[in-house]
Amino acid sequence: MSFVIWNFALWKFVARRSIAGFRLALVLSMAIAALMAAEPSVAAPVWPRTWLPLASAPMRVRLVRGAYRDCAPQCDEWISVEGTIGAESLALLRRALDATKKRKLPILIHSAGGRADIAMSMGRLIRARGLDVVVARTEFEPAASEPRGWAMSNSAICASGCSMVLAGGVRRFVAPESWTGVHEGVVPAQTVVQTIRYYRTRTFVRGNRIVGREKVFVGEKHVSRRFGRSAPTARSYAQLAAFFIEMGMTKQLYELLHTAPSQSMRWLTPDELLATRLATENRSAETIVHTPRAPAEPPAAALPAATPTEVVIKAAEPAPGTLSAPPPLPSFLRSTSARLHCAFCSGAGRKGGGDAPPPH
């Protein structure tokens, strides 16, 4: 747009000038075009389509144990939640939480969204259990006897209705290399099938009095109606705003939600995630579920047995002015009396005096 404005002003200036001015305007126009092309452009965020199939597949909830080599034999565990939030997602999550036997394991979620009502119910369940939520995907170890894998924050997605599951965490961790987005709600296109049944009523009369009626089934037919995509009602948005406030989010999150139409996405920056409280910390999943175990310390080496030269025998001090014989040696040292004697003799037979070092 700026290139067009510059060219318009330039050609207007030289419109009534000479041929030389026309040539000058042509040269300047080409130079301006080259400068505009050389200006760096700011690239818009690109949807991480690498891991989109996993985030859009039917939801799968699994209890996973870490496969890191430096954590054996007690590697950390987590609950992997991946895929579209559908009608069965709440039951799958509840079943997995019940299987943990009240252990507070973190939830690693990787989802492109889904049904808002189910997502809010999942968020409330997570908050009631006092669990943390991390935006991350799980890479599973192939051919493992039990679900084992590694947590991956890179290119993990938590978009649309997934933000409501994330909001349910007591602590909410989102790494800078993952993607968290919100947008306006939408009621997806759906087909509603209505069944119409036909009955015939028989009335039994005795005299002038009705004594009974009987309803007899005649037949039925199915009528399908197709509804296109539509915007949620004001009541639905009010319920969503109340949910975010209940989970401790700020009003700014609800406002950012309306900045993107339903067919697009508003990817939140790390600062926006913290400001809206949708994330309590910009932290990767690898630092949460991977706790390297310190190598066991080797047992303390046994102290070497004391040699006779290291044994100190303290004799009773004689009374002043009297002499007393040294006390008898213990029985276990009598065989080494010669070495002990040499240890106690001070420089006997050594020229120059001084204490002789104990024999070794």
Side-chain angles (χ1 to χ4, degrees), residues 114-117 119-120 122-124 158 160-169 240 243-244 247 257 278:
R115 288 183 51 176
D117 55 341
M120 287 188 285
M122 294 174 67
R124 288 191 173 98
C158 184
S160 187
C162 176
S163 61
M164 305 170 198
V165 182
L166 174 61
L240 179 58
F243 170 78
F244 282 135
M247 296 294 109
L257 181 144
L278 187 57

Side-chain angles (χ1 to χ4, degrees), residues 75-98:
C75 295
D76 294 339
E77 294 179 306
W78 66 87
I79 299 175
S80 171
V81 179
E82 295 186 354
T84 302
I85 302 171
E88 302 295 330
S89 299
L90 179 61
L92 292 174
L93 178 61
R94 191 186 302 276
R95 193 178 308 148
L97 296 183
D98 293 340

